[in-house]
Amino acid sequence: SKANEFANSATDIKSLEKNILNFSDFYALKGSTGMVLASGKADSTVMVITEPPGRAEELKSVPYAGEAGVLFTKIFSAVGLSIGGTGERGIYVLPSIPFRLVKSSNSGVSDLDLIKPFIKRHIELLAPKYIVLVGRIPIDILGLSEQLNGQGESDKIGSYNGTPVIEIEGINLMIKSPDRKRKTWNNLKLLRKLMEKERL
């Protein structure tokens, strides 16, 4: 209820981020060294919701750092998209959780539940044409597990309130298991085809 109030009272991205920073009920804040907020241009056509940051990402305030950052940039640049781009060439990157996710001993509401209204409000305010979900956590937060099963190769485009959604593998998972890049590449090609089709 409190999280919903904080999220829904935001009238723009700036006030939404301020409300996230002022929301003190997140369990993980006890061990957090900083928050990673959204990056990229607000007019970007594609919104990418990523995995929670690790310690390196928190310290640098970036969605991915080091080798993971290099891979993240590389896979999107392969389809002509980047954080620095605008419009159809840009991606707006939003961490699903703005801090390191820690396991709570509390059986009550989890940080995944608390962040949900903030993520949903962020999507409403940004109004992207396409959404890319990285790894399982953003899929679970948005309740899209039945649409995007996360197993094997996929050629399916899901939908969130009418907005086309694709999933890609977790970045660190692809580093550990390079063969997992195939699914990501196939789904990003689906995204590119969809974007090109709608441009015609």
Side-chain angles (χ1 to χ4, degrees), residues 74 88 125 180 194:
K74 183 178 180 179
E88 292 187 355
L125 292 171
R180 305 295 287 266
L194 181 62

Side-chain angles (χ1 to χ4, degrees), residues 178-194:
D179 59 303
R180 305 295 287 266
K181 294 178 184 177
R182 183 191 296 265
K183 174 183 172 182
T184 289
W185 177 238
N186 287 342
N187 282 2
L188 285 175
K189 285 194 294 184
L190 274 179
L191 172 65
R192 175 50 66 190
K193 287 179 181 178
L194 181 62

Side-chain angles (χ1 to χ4, degrees), residues 50-119:
T50 68
E51 304 153 286
R55 179 170 173 76
E57 285 78 18
E58 277 189 335
L59 292 174
K60 294 184 177 181
S61 295
V62 294
Y64 291 103
E67 187 179 358
V70 172
L71 179 58
F72 181 81
T73 299
K74 183 178 180 179
I75 63 175
F76 281 99
S77 65
V79 288
L81 299 169
S82 70
I83 291 180
T86 59
E88 292 187 355
R89 300 191 66 82
I91 54 173
Y92 182 90
V93 183
L94 176 68
S96 54
I97 304 282
F99 39 71
R100 273 180 296 156
L101 189 60
V102 298
K103 189 175 290 185
S104 172
S105 58
N106 186 348
S107 60
V109 179
S110 73
D111 284 349
L112 293 179
D113 293 319
L114 292 174
I115 200 65
K116 187 179 297 185
F118 292 101
I119 296 292

Side-chain angles (χ1 to χ4, degrees), residues 9-31:
S9 66
T11 55
D12 54 31
I13 299 296
K14 187 174 180 179
S15 62
L16 179 63
E17 291 186 333
K18 182 179 179 181
N19 288 355
I20 292 174
L21 291 169
N22 290 332
F23 188 75
S24 59
D25 290 359
F26 292 120
Y27 177 82
L29 289 178
K30 298 180 178 67

